[in-house]
Amino acid sequence: EIVLTQSPGTLSLSPGERATLSCRASQSVSSSNLAWYQQRPGQAPRLLIYGASTRATGIPDRFSGSVSGTDFTLTISRLEPEDFAVFYCQQFGSSYTFGQGTKVEIK
Amino acid sequence: QVQLQESGPGLVKPSETLSLTCTVSGGSIGSYYWSWIRQPPGKGLEWIGYIYYSGSTNYNPSLKSRVTISVDTSNNQFSLKLSSVTAADTAVYYCAREVSTGNTDPYFDYWGQGTLVTVSS
C-alpha cells in the first residue's frame, strides 16, 4: 500500500499569506495519479487539483500543484478567508489512499 | 448537475452488516467508477472501494474480506455492504464519482453530502 505523508499537520497563517503544503509518497506515484482536495467543516471534500498540477473547473488560480520525485506540493499563493480548511492529497494506484490531512488555520 | 445522495440506517449494532445506497441523479451511472469513502469523526479519509458501471470492483485490502459493492444501473444506484461491524467502523460514509478515462487523469469530482453511521448496541 502506498502511504502518503502530509506535512505539516497544521499550518497557522494569516489571510494574504502564502501556504505551502507537502505530500510525500512512500513509493513511486505517477504524477497523473495524484489529486488534492479541500474539506471545510461539515462538508464533503472538494476537488482542487488532479494530475498533480491541473486545476479543477472553477478553482481559482491562487491554487497550484507541483511535483518533484515522490514529493508533491500544493501552494496557495495568497490565502483568502474561505481557504482555511483541511487539505488532503490522494493517489490513484492499484489501491487508493489519502494523506492524513493538513489543517490550514487562521493565525 | 450531477448529485449523489447516500441513504441507509444511521445506527448499526456490532457484528451486524452496514448497508448503504448511493442514488445518482442528473446524470447516468454509466461509463464511470463509483467509490465509497469514509471518515471517522475528527479523522481523515479512507477509501473503501469502487465499482465500475459494468460491475467490476476493487476494494481496499484492509477491508476486502468484509466489503461488497454492487451496482443497479436501472435505478442509477450503487450500494455498500460492510459485514461484522465494530465501533471502529463508525464514520461518515461518502459516495463519490471517479472520472477516469483515457483522455484525462483520474479524480473524484462529485461527492455525496455524507451520512453518519454509528455502530453501537
Side-chain angles (χ1 to χ4, degrees):
Chain A
E1 172 181 292
I2 297 176
V3 176
L4 299 178
T5 301
Q6 292 188 240
S7 61
T10 301
L11 203 49
S12 298
L13 295 168
S14 301
E17 289 194 297
R18 181 184 187 91
T20 302
L21 288 67
S22 175
C23 173
R24 175 168 291 179
S26 61
Q27 53 188 279
S28 179
V29 171
S30 168
S31 60
S32 297
N33 288 339
L34 196 286
W36 289 92
Y37 302 85
Q38 176 192 51
Q39 187 177 35
R40 298 181 176 127
Q43 296 186 14
R46 176 177 75 137
L47 175 69
L48 297 175
I49 300 283
Y50 64 96
S53 62
T54 303
R55 274 188 302 277
T57 302
I59 300 303
D61 61 6
R62 65 179 180 272
F63 291 92
S64 63
S66 62
V67 57
S68 176
T70 57
D71 291 342
F72 297 86
T73 301
L74 174 69
T75 302
I76 310 171
S77 59
R78 288 178 56 86
L79 284 163
E80 297 288 341
E82 63 268 26
D83 296 339
F84 292 90
V86 180
F87 295 83
Y88 294 95
C89 57
Q90 181 247 328
Q91 63 85 24
F92 290 90
S94 59
S95 179
Y96 304 169
T97 53
F98 289 87
Q100 81 278 19
T102 289
K103 181 179 182 180
V104 178
E105 65 176 22
I106 299 176
K107 186 174 180 180
Chain B
Q1 175 79 346
V2 175
Q3 292 185 318
L4 285 70
Q5 179 67 59
E6 304 90 351
S7 59
L11 180 63
V12 181
K13 290 182 169 54
S15 80
E16 295 189 345
T17 296
L18 178 159
S19 296
L20 295 174
T21 295
C22 183
T23 301
V24 180
S25 59
S28 172
I29 205 165
S31 301
Y32 292 99
Y33 292 83
W34 302 90
S35 277
W36 286 98
I37 296 158
R38 69 181 183 179
Q39 185 171 37
K43 297 188 177 180
L45 299 163
E46 180 182 35
W47 175 73
I48 298 170
Y50 72 60
I51 189 163
Y52 192 47
Y53 77 101
S54 62
S56 61
T57 56
N58 186 20
Y59 301 138
N60 185 324
S62 68
L63 298 169
K64 188 173 183 177
S65 63
R66 299 194 291 130
V67 172
T68 302
I69 298 177
S70 58
V71 66
D72 178 355
T73 54
S74 61
N75 287 309
N76 245 27
Q77 295 177 328
F78 63 106
S79 298
L80 168 71
K81 290 189 185 300
L82 181 65
S83 64
S84 304
V85 297
T86 69
D89 295 308
T90 294
V92 174
Y93 285 76
Y94 294 101
C95 54
R97 187 180 84 167
E98 177 191 337
V99 175
S100 183
T101 70
N103 298 324
T104 183
D105 298 328
Y107 51 84
F108 292 123
D109 60 348
Y110 289 103
W111 297 64
Q113 64 186 26
T115 186
L116 174 63
V117 179
T118 302
V119 178
S120 175
S121 55

Coordinates of all heavy atoms in Angstrom, one line a residue, chain A residues 1 31-35 37 39 42-47 49-52 54 88 90 92-100, chain B residues 33 35 37 39 43-47 50 58-62 94 98-100 104-114:
Chain A
E1 N 0.8 -1.2 0.0 CA 0.0 0.0 0.0 C 0.9 1.3 0.0 O 1.9 1.3 0.7 CB -0.9 0.0 1.2 CG -1.7 1.3 1.4 CD -2.6 1.3 2.7 OE1 -3.5 0.5 2.7 OE2 -2.3 2.0 3.6
S31 N 2.6 11.1 -11.4 CA 2.0 12.4 -11.2 C 0.6 12.5 -11.8 O -0.2 13.3 -11.3 CB 2.9 13.5 -11.9 OG 3.0 13.3 -13.2
S32 N 0.3 11.6 -12.7 CA -1.0 11.6 -13.3 C -2.1 11.1 -12.2 O -3.2 11.4 -12.4 CB -1.1 10.6 -14.5 OG -0.3 11.0 -15.5
N33 N -1.6 10.4 -11.2 CA -2.5 9.8 -10.3 C -2.5 10.5 -8.9 O -2.9 9.9 -7.9 CB -2.1 8.3 -10.1 CG -2.4 7.5 -11.3 OD1 -3.2 7.8 -12.1 ND2 -1.7 6.3 -11.4
L34 N -2.2 11.8 -8.9 CA -2.2 12.5 -7.6 C -3.2 13.6 -7.6 O -3.1 14.5 -8.5 CB -0.8 12.9 -7.2 CG -0.5 13.4 -5.8 CD1 -1.1 14.7 -5.4 CD2 -0.8 12.3 -4.8
A35 N -4.1 13.7 -6.6 CA -5.1 14.8 -6.6 C -5.0 15.4 -5.2 O -4.6 14.8 -4.2 CB -6.5 14.2 -6.9
Y37 N -7.6 17.7 -2.4 CA -9.0 18.1 -2.1 C -8.9 19.0 -0.9 O -8.1 19.0 0.0 CB -9.8 16.9 -1.7 CG -9.9 15.8 -2.8 CD1 -8.9 14.9 -2.9 CD2 -10.9 15.8 -3.7 CE1 -8.9 13.9 -4.0 CE2 -10.9 14.9 -4.8 CZ -9.9 13.9 -4.9 OH -10.0 13.0 -5.9
Q39 N -11.4 20.3 2.3 CA -12.6 19.9 3.1 C -12.9 21.0 4.2 O -12.0 21.1 5.1 CB -12.5 18.5 3.7 CG -13.8 18.1 4.4 CD -13.7 16.7 5.0 OE1 -12.7 16.3 5.5 NE2 -14.8 16.0 4.9
G42 N -17.9 20.1 8.2 CA -19.3 19.7 7.9 C -19.6 19.5 6.4 O -20.8 19.2 6.1
Q43 N -18.6 19.6 5.6 CA -18.8 19.4 4.1 C -18.0 18.2 3.6 O -17.1 17.8 4.2 CB -18.4 20.7 3.4 CG -19.2 21.9 3.7 CD -18.8 23.1 2.9 OE1 -18.1 23.0 1.8 NE2 -19.3 24.3 3.3
A44 N -18.5 17.8 2.4 CA -17.7 16.8 1.7 C -16.4 17.4 1.1 O -16.4 18.6 0.9 CB -18.6 16.2 0.5
P45 N -15.4 16.6 0.8 CA -14.2 17.2 0.1 C -14.6 17.7 -1.2 O -15.5 17.3 -1.9 CB -13.3 15.9 0.0 CG -13.8 15.0 1.1 CD -15.3 15.2 1.2
R46 N -13.8 18.7 -1.6 CA -13.9 19.3 -2.9 C -12.6 19.2 -3.7 O -11.6 19.5 -3.2 CB -14.3 20.8 -2.7 CG -14.4 21.6 -4.0 CD -14.8 23.1 -3.8 NE -13.7 23.9 -3.3 CZ -13.5 25.1 -3.7 NH1 -14.2 25.6 -4.7 NH2 -12.6 25.9 -3.1
L47 N -12.7 18.8 -5.0 CA -11.6 18.6 -5.8 C -10.9 20.0 -6.1 O -11.6 20.9 -6.5 CB -11.9 17.9 -7.1 CG -10.9 17.8 -8.2 CD1 -9.8 16.8 -7.7 CD2 -11.5 17.3 -9.5
I49 N -7.2 20.0 -7.3 CA -6.1 19.7 -8.3 C -6.1 18.2 -8.6 O -6.3 17.4 -7.8 CB -4.7 20.0 -7.7 CG1 -4.6 21.5 -7.3 CG2 -3.6 19.6 -8.6 CD1 -4.3 22.5 -8.4
Y50 N -5.9 17.9 -9.9 CA -5.7 16.5 -10.3 C -4.5 16.4 -11.3 O -4.0 17.5 -11.8 CB -7.0 15.9 -10.9 CG -7.4 16.5 -12.2 CD1 -7.0 16.0 -13.4 CD2 -8.2 17.7 -12.2 CE1 -7.4 16.6 -14.6 CE2 -8.6 18.3 -13.4 CZ -8.2 17.7 -14.6 OH -8.6 18.3 -15.8
G51 N -4.0 15.2 -11.5 CA -2.8 15.1 -12.3 C -1.6 15.9 -11.7 O -0.8 16.4 -12.5
A52 N -1.6 16.0 -10.4 CA -0.6 16.8 -9.6 C -0.6 18.3 -9.8 O -0.2 19.0 -8.9 CB 0.8 16.2 -9.9
T54 N -3.0 20.1 -12.4 CA -4.2 20.6 -13.2 C -5.3 21.1 -12.3 O -5.8 20.3 -11.5 CB -4.7 19.6 -14.2 OG1 -3.6 19.1 -15.0 CG2 -5.8 20.2 -15.0
Y88 N -6.3 17.5 1.7 CA -5.9 16.1 1.6 C -5.3 15.8 0.2 O -5.8 16.3 -0.8 CB -7.1 15.1 1.7 CG -7.7 15.1 3.1 CD1 -8.8 15.9 3.4 CD2 -7.2 14.3 4.1 CE1 -9.4 15.9 4.7 CE2 -7.7 14.3 5.4 CZ -8.9 15.1 5.7 OH -9.4 15.0 6.9
Q90 N -4.3 12.6 -2.4 CA -4.8 11.3 -2.7 C -4.2 10.7 -3.9 O -4.0 11.4 -4.9 CB -6.4 11.4 -2.8 CG -7.1 10.0 -3.0 CD -7.7 9.9 -4.4 OE1 -8.1 10.9 -5.0 NE2 -7.7 8.7 -4.9
F92 N -4.2 7.5 -6.9 CA -5.0 6.5 -7.6 C -4.0 5.4 -8.1 O -3.7 5.3 -9.3 CB -5.7 7.1 -8.8 CG -6.8 8.1 -8.5 CD1 -6.5 9.4 -8.3 CD2 -8.1 7.6 -8.3 CE1 -7.6 10.3 -8.0 CE2 -9.1 8.5 -8.0 CZ -8.9 9.9 -7.9
G93 N -3.5 4.6 -7.2 CA -2.8 3.5 -7.6 C -3.7 2.3 -7.7 O -4.9 2.4 -8.0
S94 N -3.1 1.1 -7.5 CA -4.0 -0.1 -7.6 C -5.0 -0.1 -6.4 O -6.0 -0.6 -6.5 CB -3.1 -1.4 -7.5 OG -2.3 -1.4 -6.4
S95 N -4.6 0.5 -5.3 CA -5.4 0.7 -4.2 C -5.3 2.2 -3.8 O -4.2 2.7 -3.6 CB -5.1 -0.2 -3.0 OG -5.9 0.1 -1.9
Y96 N -6.4 2.9 -3.7 CA -6.3 4.3 -3.5 C -6.1 4.6 -2.0 O -6.6 4.0 -1.1 CB -7.7 5.0 -3.9 CG -8.1 4.7 -5.3 CD1 -9.4 5.1 -5.7 CD2 -7.3 4.2 -6.2 CE1 -9.9 4.9 -6.9 CE2 -7.8 3.9 -7.5 CZ -9.1 4.3 -7.9 OH -9.5 4.1 -9.2
T97 N -5.3 5.7 -1.8 CA -5.0 6.1 -0.4 C -5.1 7.6 -0.3 O -4.8 8.3 -1.3 CB -3.7 5.6 0.2 OG1 -2.6 6.0 -0.8 CG2 -3.7 4.1 0.3
F98 N -5.4 8.1 0.9 CA -5.3 9.6 1.2 C -4.2 9.8 2.2 O -3.9 9.0 3.0 CB -6.7 10.0 1.8 CG -7.8 10.0 0.9 CD1 -8.6 8.9 0.7 CD2 -8.2 11.2 0.2 CE1 -9.7 8.9 -0.2 CE2 -9.3 11.2 -0.6 CZ -10.1 10.1 -0.8
G99 N -3.7 11.0 2.1 CA -2.8 11.5 3.2 C -3.7 11.8 4.4 O -4.9 11.8 4.3
Q100 N -3.0 12.1 5.5 CA -3.8 12.2 6.8 C -4.3 13.6 6.9 O -5.1 13.9 7.9 CB -2.9 11.9 8.0 CG -1.9 13.0 8.4 CD -0.7 13.1 7.6 OE1 -0.6 12.6 6.5 NE2 0.3 13.8 8.2
Chain B
Y33 N -16.5 5.2 -12.7 CA -16.2 4.4 -11.5 C -16.9 5.1 -10.3 O -16.9 6.3 -10.2 CB -14.7 4.3 -11.2 CG -14.0 3.5 -12.3 CD1 -13.6 4.0 -13.5 CD2 -13.7 2.2 -12.0 CE1 -12.9 3.3 -14.4 CE2 -13.0 1.4 -12.9 CZ -12.6 2.0 -14.1 OH -11.9 1.2 -15.1
S35 N -17.2 5.2 -6.1 CA -16.5 4.8 -4.9 C -17.3 5.1 -3.6 O -18.1 5.9 -3.6 CB -15.2 5.5 -4.7 OG -14.1 4.9 -5.5
I37 N -16.2 6.1 0.4 CA -15.1 6.6 1.1 C -15.7 7.0 2.5 O -16.8 7.4 2.6 CB -14.5 7.9 0.5 CG1 -13.9 7.6 -0.9 CG2 -13.5 8.6 1.3 CD1 -13.8 8.7 -1.9
Q39 N -15.0 8.5 6.7 CA -14.2 9.4 7.6 C -14.7 9.3 9.0 O -15.8 9.8 9.4 CB -14.4 10.9 7.1 CG -13.5 11.9 7.8 CD -13.6 13.2 7.1 OE1 -14.6 13.7 6.6 NE2 -12.5 13.9 7.1
K43 N -11.3 12.5 12.1 CA -10.2 11.9 11.4 C -10.1 12.1 9.9 O -10.9 12.8 9.4 CB -10.1 10.4 11.8 CG -10.0 10.1 13.3 CD -9.7 8.7 13.6 CE -9.5 8.5 15.1 NZ -9.3 7.0 15.4
G44 N -9.2 11.4 9.3 CA -9.0 11.6 7.8 C -9.9 10.6 7.0 O -10.7 9.9 7.5
L45 N -9.7 10.7 5.7 CA -10.5 10.0 4.7 C -9.9 8.6 4.4 O -8.6 8.4 4.3 CB -10.5 10.8 3.4 CG -11.2 12.1 3.5 CD1 -10.8 13.0 2.3 CD2 -12.7 12.0 3.7
E46 N -10.7 7.6 4.3 CA -10.3 6.2 3.9 C -11.1 5.7 2.8 O -12.4 5.7 2.9 CB -10.4 5.3 5.1 CG -10.0 3.9 4.8 CD -10.2 2.9 6.0 OE1 -11.1 3.1 6.8 OE2 -9.3 2.0 6.1
W47 N -10.5 5.4 1.7 CA -11.2 4.8 0.5 C -11.6 3.4 0.9 O -10.7 2.6 1.4 CB -10.2 4.8 -0.7 CG -10.8 4.2 -1.9 CD1 -11.8 4.6 -2.7 CD2 -10.3 2.9 -2.4 NE1 -12.0 3.7 -3.7 CE2 -11.1 2.7 -3.6 CE3 -9.4 2.0 -2.1 CZ2 -10.9 1.5 -4.4 CZ3 -9.2 0.9 -2.9 CH2 -10.0 0.7 -4.0
Y50 N -14.3 0.6 -5.0 CA -15.1 1.2 -6.1 C -15.8 0.1 -6.9 O -15.4 -1.1 -6.8 CB -14.3 2.1 -7.0 CG -13.2 1.4 -7.9 CD1 -13.6 0.5 -8.9 CD2 -11.9 1.8 -7.8 CE1 -12.6 -0.1 -9.7 CE2 -11.0 1.2 -8.7 CZ -11.3 0.2 -9.6 OH -10.4 -0.3 -10.4
N58 N -13.1 -3.1 -7.0 CA -11.7 -3.1 -6.4 C -11.9 -2.6 -5.0 O -12.6 -1.5 -4.8 CB -10.8 -2.1 -7.2 CG -9.4 -2.2 -6.7 OD1 -9.0 -3.1 -6.0 ND2 -8.6 -1.1 -7.0
Y59 N -11.4 -3.3 -4.1 CA -11.6 -3.0 -2.7 C -10.3 -2.6 -1.9 O -9.2 -3.2 -2.3 CB -12.3 -4.1 -1.9 CG -13.6 -4.5 -2.5 CD1 -14.0 -5.9 -2.6 CD2 -14.6 -3.6 -2.9 CE1 -15.2 -6.2 -3.1 CE2 -15.8 -3.9 -3.4 CZ -16.1 -5.3 -3.5 OH -17.3 -5.7 -4.0
N60 N -10.4 -1.8 -0.9 CA -9.2 -1.6 0.0 C -8.8 -2.9 0.6 O -9.7 -3.6 1.2 CB -9.7 -0.6 1.1 CG -8.5 -0.2 2.0 OD1 -7.6 -0.9 2.3 ND2 -8.6 1.1 2.4
P61 N -7.6 -3.3 0.5 CA -7.2 -4.6 1.0 C -7.5 -4.8 2.5 O -7.7 -5.9 3.0 CB -5.6 -4.6 0.8 CG -5.5 -3.7 -0.4 CD -6.5 -2.6 -0.2
S62 N -7.4 -3.7 3.3 CA -7.7 -3.8 4.7 C -9.1 -4.1 5.0 O -9.4 -4.4 6.2 CB -7.2 -2.5 5.4 OG -8.1 -1.4 5.0
Y94 N -19.2 8.5 2.6 CA -19.4 9.3 1.4 C -19.4 8.3 0.2 O -18.7 7.4 0.1 CB -18.3 10.3 1.1 CG -18.2 11.4 2.1 CD1 -17.2 11.3 3.1 CD2 -19.0 12.5 2.1 CE1 -17.1 12.4 4.1 CE2 -18.8 13.6 3.0 CZ -17.9 13.5 4.0 OH -17.7 14.5 4.9
E98 N -15.8 8.9 -9.7 CA -14.5 9.0 -10.2 C -14.5 9.1 -11.7 O -15.1 8.3 -12.5 CB -13.6 7.8 -9.9 CG -12.2 7.8 -10.5 CD -11.4 6.5 -10.3 OE1 -11.8 5.7 -9.5 OE2 -10.5 6.3 -11.1
V99 N -13.9 10.2 -12.2 CA -13.6 10.4 -13.6 C -12.3 9.7 -13.9 O -11.3 10.1 -13.4 CB -13.6 11.8 -14.0 CG1 -13.3 12.0 -15.5 CG2 -15.0 12.5 -13.7
S100 N -12.3 8.7 -14.8 CA -11.1 8.0 -15.1 C -11.2 7.5 -16.5 O -11.6 6.3 -16.7 CB -10.9 6.9 -14.1 OG -9.7 6.2 -14.4
T104 N -8.1 11.7 -19.6 CA -7.8 12.6 -18.5 C -7.3 11.8 -17.4 O -7.5 10.6 -17.3 CB -9.1 13.3 -18.0 OG1 -8.8 14.2 -17.0 CG2 -10.1 12.3 -17.5
D105 N -6.5 12.5 -16.5 CA -6.1 11.9 -15.3 C -7.2 11.7 -14.3 O -8.2 12.4 -14.4 CB -5.0 12.8 -14.6 CG -3.8 13.0 -15.5 OD1 -3.5 12.0 -16.3 OD2 -3.2 14.0 -15.4
P106 N -7.2 10.7 -13.5 CA -8.4 10.4 -12.6 C -8.5 11.4 -11.5 O -7.6 12.0 -11.0 CB -8.0 9.0 -12.1 CG -6.5 9.0 -12.1 CD -6.1 9.7 -13.3
Y107 N -9.8 11.5 -11.1 CA -10.1 12.4 -9.9 C -11.5 12.1 -9.5 O -12.4 11.6 -10.3 CB -10.0 13.9 -10.2 CG -10.7 14.3 -11.5 CD1 -12.0 14.7 -11.5 CD2 -10.0 14.4 -12.7 CE1 -12.7 15.1 -12.6 CE2 -10.6 14.9 -13.9 CZ -12.0 15.2 -13.8 OH -12.6 15.6 -14.9
F108 N -11.8 12.4 -8.2 CA -13.2 12.3 -7.7 C -13.8 13.7 -7.9 O -13.4 14.7 -7.2 CB -13.2 12.0 -6.2 CG -12.8 10.6 -5.9 CD1 -11.7 10.3 -5.1 CD2 -13.4 9.5 -6.4 CE1 -11.3 9.1 -4.8 CE2 -13.0 8.2 -6.2 CZ -12.0 8.0 -5.3
D109 N -14.8 13.8 -8.7 CA -15.4 15.2 -9.0 C -16.7 15.4 -8.2 O -16.9 16.6 -7.8 CB -15.5 15.4 -10.5 CG -16.5 14.5 -11.2 OD1 -16.8 13.4 -10.6 OD2 -16.8 14.7 -12.3
Y110 N -17.5 14.5 -8.1 CA -18.8 14.7 -7.4 C -18.8 13.7 -6.2 O -18.5 12.6 -6.2 CB -20.0 14.4 -8.3 CG -20.2 15.4 -9.3 CD1 -19.8 15.2 -10.7 CD2 -20.8 16.7 -9.0 CE1 -20.0 16.2 -11.6 CE2 -21.0 17.6 -10.0 CZ -20.6 17.4 -11.3 OH -20.7 18.4 -12.2
W111 N -19.3 14.3 -5.0 CA -19.4 13.6 -3.8 C -20.8 13.8 -3.2 O -21.4 14.8 -3.4 CB -18.4 14.2 -2.7 CG -17.0 14.1 -3.1 CD1 -16.3 14.6 -4.1 CD2 -16.0 13.4 -2.3 NE1 -14.9 14.3 -4.0 CE2 -14.7 13.5 -2.9 CE3 -16.0 12.6 -1.1 CZ2 -13.6 13.0 -2.5 CZ3 -14.9 12.0 -0.7 CH2 -13.7 12.2 -1.3
G112 N -21.3 12.8 -2.5 CA -22.5 12.9 -1.7 C -22.2 13.8 -0.5 O -21.0 14.1 -0.2
Q113 N -23.2 14.2 0.2 CA -23.1 15.0 1.4 C -22.5 14.2 2.6 O -22.1 14.8 3.5 CB -24.4 15.6 1.8 CG -25.5 14.6 2.2 CD -26.8 15.3 2.4 OE1 -27.1 16.3 1.9 NE2 -27.6 14.6 3.3
G114 N -22.6 12.9 2.5 CA -22.1 12.0 3.6 C -23.2 11.7 4.5 O -24.2 12.5 4.8

